[in-house]
Amino acid sequence: MSTQSVTSPHPSVDDGYLEYPSRRYGMDHDRYAWSMLTERKPVTWPDDKKLAVWVNLSLEHFPLNPASSSASKLVKLPGGMTMPYPDLRHYTLRDYGNRIGVYRLLEAFDKASVRPTLAINALLVERYPQLAAMIRERGNEVIAHSWSMDTAHASDLDEVAETELIKRSIDTLTTAFGNAPTGWLSPGKLESPNTPDLIKAAGIAYFCDWVNDDMPYAFHTKHGDLVAMPLSTEIEDRFVVIDNFQSEQSWSEQVMDACDLLLAEANEQGGRILSIPLHAWVMGQPHRIKHVEAALAYVMSKPGVWNATAGEICAAWQAQQRVA
Amino acid sequence: MKDDLGYYDYWPYANRPKITWPNGAKLAFWVAPNIEFYELNPPKNPSRAAWPHPYPAIPGYSIRDYGNRVGHMRQMKLLDKYGIRGSISLSTALCTHHPEIIDMCRERDWEFFTHGIYNTRYTYGMTEAQERAMILESMETIERAVGRLPAGYLAPALSHSEVTIDLFAELGGTYTCDLFHDDQPTPISVRSGKRFVSVPYSLELNDTIVYVVNKIEPRRYGQMIKDSFDRLYAEGAASGTVMCIPTHNYQVSCPHRLKAYEEALEHITGHPDVWVTTGREIADYYLAHHYDAAVADIKRGRKE
């Protein structure tokens, strides 16, 4: 066998790079058990519905000065400022969602008889009390979405600061809406190593950061289990239309195709969940709204669809997990 | 660094010796589901970061886990429906992490080829001995799990050294999926002189390249697969072609994407002269029936 020399431009790796200490049955961490969706007990939804439809609208605030105020220096959140300060184009385009987009979308939801779930940056209710009052009046479920789109939960956020950030966010939303949110969504679905433990300790029951399932599952923390709720990124408006440059029409076709597949699967395998994640500053634009309307009309026309909030779906699932 | 690794000679598509496939098929069709395990906290490779986010890189890790928890069963059901045996590009650590998936694929007589140990361990920076040990361990893991050494290799996360293919040939492999230079199998010159081939695998139709890199809509992906098939099927009347759809259960099996893929599979398997097969069967058939003529033709072309 020849031993000709290898001309590699790469720094060498030591033999530890060929060791695999976490190679074991199941996952390579202890946060949840390995489980294939089809192996689990089938779930039923109220009134024998097949497909729970969770329309999630994120209401976000992106500060103009992220470089000086960011909680994390390690990560950038999607949708943040990209131009030299003051990046008025992105700041105002995001703010558009809270002034115009949210109202346009809520009207579309009402027209389709859809009850949305609202993931809200707590800073918004301080900045825009009229928006908060309108949401309180509507009574939609609110998910805690941290403080702003400048408070990434990442490993350079120390535990004390993250604990305070979570408490401040939840307390502000609780005061604004009269009851404590039971759900959590981290900005950009990014977490520090402590986030699940800290939100559980703060009273959160379910969170929406891990996109590894189409159904809820138990997620272990130091303070007991959270429920991981499946809020898809792959079909999210921002991901499809902004990140992937796909058309609004294509986005709505993708929602329809997902609806068909999940309904068919639910008829064979038990209840499924279709999450439709939206952002006020993305789909609230006048050229996009009709595609939201088309997708919602299609989904809501299907027999077997149960439109519910994340908390309602979570509770219905949880009630079926208790050992008889 | 070299300007070319010399694995193959230039060989024009026109006037090659005719390839025939079993039963007069015009096109050999195979589907290669990548069944992968990505580590949440892999050791750092100095040449390539495993994740775009610091630990814990939840967005990247969790969608890949989706492929195993949810996506695998969806695609497997579809391949069963259309009579397709998958040729699995396997992160072999998955034999330990998720043996249930391995068992189901073995029961279906799917092919297992090696894709390294984890898709978060890159070849970059390995010595030749380290790379050989990594590839050999992955091959032996497959042999233990399914009773047969793998014939094919796709380097983990498409990370290569200059000797990746040479090493795999020396360890007993017969085909590579790492080269995208052709629509037919081609002889590959490895330093040991062994009979070794490239089987077309396709980057252009790889769902991860389509969805993550090229950001293509699901229905357009379905159309691309059909268009690709139609052309290769037509050309296969003159000399047999190969078409592969490389997939990932965390991409193609998402609820909004599976329908377009299913329509494409229905289109392809609805044609009469398609050899629905595996990568290994294509390599073996080519080595037995066409390899020698190809080598002679390439040699002749070089002299002219």
Side-chain angles (χ1 to χ4, degrees):
Chain A
M1 193 179 290
S2 157
T3 52
Q4 71 195 53
S5 67
V6 177
T7 56
S8 170
H10 302 290
S12 60
V13 295
D14 62 29
D15 284 342
Y17 196 72
L18 276 74
E19 289 168 8
Y20 313 100
S22 298
R23 186 165 52 176
R24 62 188 182 196
Y25 179 77
M27 304 312 299
D28 59 337
H29 57 79
D30 299 318
R31 284 298 196 176
Y32 52 81
W34 153 239
S35 152
M36 294 179 85
L37 175 57
T38 47
E39 297 304 304
R40 298 176 216 155
K41 190 178 81 174
V43 168
T44 58
W45 300 131
D47 300 325
D48 201 31
K49 298 290 192 198
K50 302 300 177 193
L51 183 63
V53 172
W54 163 17
V55 175
N56 199 80
L57 177 63
S58 290
L59 300 177
E60 303 174 323
H61 180 71
F62 292 84
L64 186 59
N65 59 343
S68 53
S69 72
S70 293
S72 169
K73 308 295 179 206
L74 278 178
V75 299
K76 281 188 69 163
L77 291 174
M81 304 299 105
T82 57
M83 301 300 292
Y85 178 86
D87 183 357
L88 276 177
R89 72 172 84 165
H90 290 116
Y91 179 79
T92 54
L93 191 60
R94 305 295 173 260
D95 211 24
Y96 175 95
N98 300 320
R99 298 169 63 90
I100 305 293
V102 58
Y103 294 96
R104 195 170 277 145
L105 280 159
L106 288 171
E107 193 184 326
F109 299 156
D110 291 345
K111 204 165 76 184
S113 298
V114 162
R115 288 185 305 123
T117 306
L118 308 178
I120 304 180
N121 287 157
L123 174 56
L124 262 192
V125 307
E126 275 196 353
R127 287 178 59 92
Y128 304 142
Q130 293 143 296
L131 177 65
M134 182 275 292
I135 291 166
R136 182 174 178 140
E137 175 73 18
R138 289 178 57 91
N140 293 127
E141 182 184 339
V142 169
I143 288 177
H145 194 18
S146 191
W147 186 251
S148 77
M149 293 308 285
D150 204 24
T151 56
H153 293 244
S155 53
D156 59 342
L157 182 61
D158 74 48
E159 195 169 332
V160 172
E162 188 175 8
T163 302
E164 185 278 328
L165 171 62
I166 290 167
K167 183 177 186 317
R168 176 160 45 103
S169 303
I170 293 174
D171 288 353
T172 301
L173 293 172
T174 304
T175 303
F177 301 114
N179 45 41
T182 58
W184 175 273
L185 173 64
S186 298
K189 294 181 177 156
L190 296 175
E191 295 178 354
S192 82
N194 303 314
T195 306
D197 303 308
L198 299 179
I199 59 175
K200 177 68 182 175
I204 291 295
Y206 72 88
F207 73 143
C208 320
D209 294 342
W210 289 62
V211 291
N212 57 339
D213 217 304
D214 277 340
M215 289 294 283
Y217 65 90
F219 190 102
H220 309 318
T221 80
K222 288 176 187 163
H223 310 289
D225 286 355
L226 285 165
V227 177
M229 287 290 288
L231 185 65
S232 170
T233 297
E234 298 291 315
I235 203 164
E236 180 187 287
D237 59 347
R238 189 193 52 75
F239 180 76
V240 170
V241 172
I242 306 290
D243 287 0
N244 290 348
F245 314 107
Q246 294 172 12
S247 71
E248 297 75 18
Q249 163 115 17
S250 174
W251 171 84
S252 93
E253 289 166 356
Q254 291 176 49
V255 171
M256 294 175 195
D257 288 351
C259 177
D260 290 347
L261 183 125
L262 290 168
L263 257 178
E265 197 168 280
N267 281 321
E268 289 177 11
Q269 299 176 18
R272 288 285 184 269
I273 298 169
L274 171 64
S275 65
I276 305 181
L278 302 170
H279 294 74
W281 58 270
V282 178
M283 282 304 188
Q285 288 286 343
H287 57 292
R288 297 198 176 114
I289 191 73
K290 74 173 179 186
H291 299 287
V292 175
E293 291 168 345
L296 293 180
Y298 182 88
V299 169
M300 294 303 285
S301 75
K302 294 286 171 184
V305 160
W306 173 47
N307 167 231
T309 70
E312 289 164 353
I313 299 167
C314 180
W317 176 83
Q318 223 165 358
Q320 297 170 59
Q321 305 308 309
R322 295 182 191 116
V323 181
Chain B
M1 290 185 275
K2 304 170 181 174
D3 68 348
D4 187 292
L5 295 187
Y7 281 125
Y8 54 82
D9 287 306
Y10 180 73
W11 190 30
Y13 194 26
N15 304 315
R16 291 181 182 177
K18 178 174 177 162
I19 291 178
T20 56
W21 295 129
N23 302 313
K26 297 171 186 165
L27 179 145
F29 174 63
W30 63 303
V31 174
N34 285 266
I35 301 186
E36 297 170 334
F37 201 101
Y38 288 73
E39 299 159 283
L40 183 58
N41 199 13
K44 279 198 172 55
N45 184 294
S47 298
R48 180 169 163 185
W51 299 117
H53 298 112
Y55 174 84
I58 293 165
Y61 178 88
S62 64
I63 189 62
R64 283 161 182 81
D65 186 30
Y66 178 96
N68 295 325
R69 289 171 77 86
V70 179
H72 172 74
M73 293 299 278
R74 264 189 206 138
Q75 184 176 195
M76 191 171 73
K77 197 174 152 205
L78 212 56
L79 297 185
D80 284 351
K81 181 175 171 184
Y82 293 99
I84 299 163
R85 285 155 57 222
S87 305
I88 301 168
S89 167
L90 183 66
S91 293
T92 62
L94 197 124
C95 296
T96 311
H97 288 291
H98 303 330
E100 298 87 349
I101 291 178
I102 302 298
D103 290 345
M104 287 185 282
C105 299
R106 191 186 50 210
E107 285 162 14
R108 285 165 170 75
D109 193 25
W110 285 15
E111 181 197 340
F112 295 75
F113 65 87
T114 165
H115 190 28
I117 295 174
Y118 283 108
N119 222 36
T120 36
R121 303 281 180 130
Y122 307 122
T123 306
Y124 310 124
M126 288 186 186
T127 64
E128 190 172 324
Q130 286 173 323
E131 186 178 7
R132 182 187 294 109
M134 182 273 288
I135 298 172
L136 179 62
E137 181 176 342
S138 75
M139 294 172 76
E140 289 175 342
T141 303
I142 288 178
E143 186 182 29
R144 269 197 308 280
V146 304
R148 192 177 186 191
L149 278 167
Y153 187 45
L154 179 72
L158 306 189
S159 66
H160 309 102
S161 75
E162 291 176 346
V163 294
T164 297
I165 295 172
D166 294 313
L167 289 172
F168 182 61
E170 285 155 19
L171 290 168
T174 54
Y175 77 96
T176 174
C177 303
D178 279 311
L179 308 175
F180 305 103
H181 60 300
D182 220 291
D183 283 330
Q184 295 178 318
T186 56
I188 295 299
S189 307
V190 288
R191 65 188 183 187
S192 57
K194 291 193 169 184
R195 295 164 69 87
F196 191 89
V197 296
S198 167
V199 174
Y201 169 78
S202 185
L203 204 61
E204 290 279 330
L205 294 185
N206 182 316
D207 63 346
T208 297
I209 302 301
V210 162
Y211 288 129
V212 180
V213 180
N214 296 337
K215 306 185 186 310
I216 283 167
E217 302 88 343
R219 292 186 186 185
R220 184 177 158 211
Y221 177 46
Q223 191 60 46
M224 284 165 56
I225 297 173
K226 290 185 212 172
D227 289 347
S228 187
F229 170 80
D230 289 348
R231 174 54 59 113
L232 290 170
Y233 188 74
E235 291 179 3
S239 179
T241 51
V242 175
M243 175 170 168
C244 179
I245 309 177
T247 62
H248 297 73
N249 287 313
Y250 66 93
Q251 291 293 338
V252 79
S253 297
C254 286
H256 55 302
R257 297 187 183 133
L258 202 69
K259 184 171 162 182
Y261 176 58
E262 169 159 15
E263 287 171 2
L265 294 181
E266 192 173 14
H267 177 79
I268 291 167
T269 56
H271 285 71
D273 298 323
V274 178
W275 180 29
V276 179
T277 185
T278 64
R280 178 181 215 139
E281 287 173 358
I282 295 168
D284 287 349
Y285 192 89
Y286 185 84
L287 282 163
H289 297 91
H290 299 299
Y291 176 88
D292 293 321
V295 168
D297 192 58
I298 293 165
K299 195 179 279 179
R300 200 160 39 240
R302 222 171 21 217
K303 282 181 188 151
E304 278 170 7

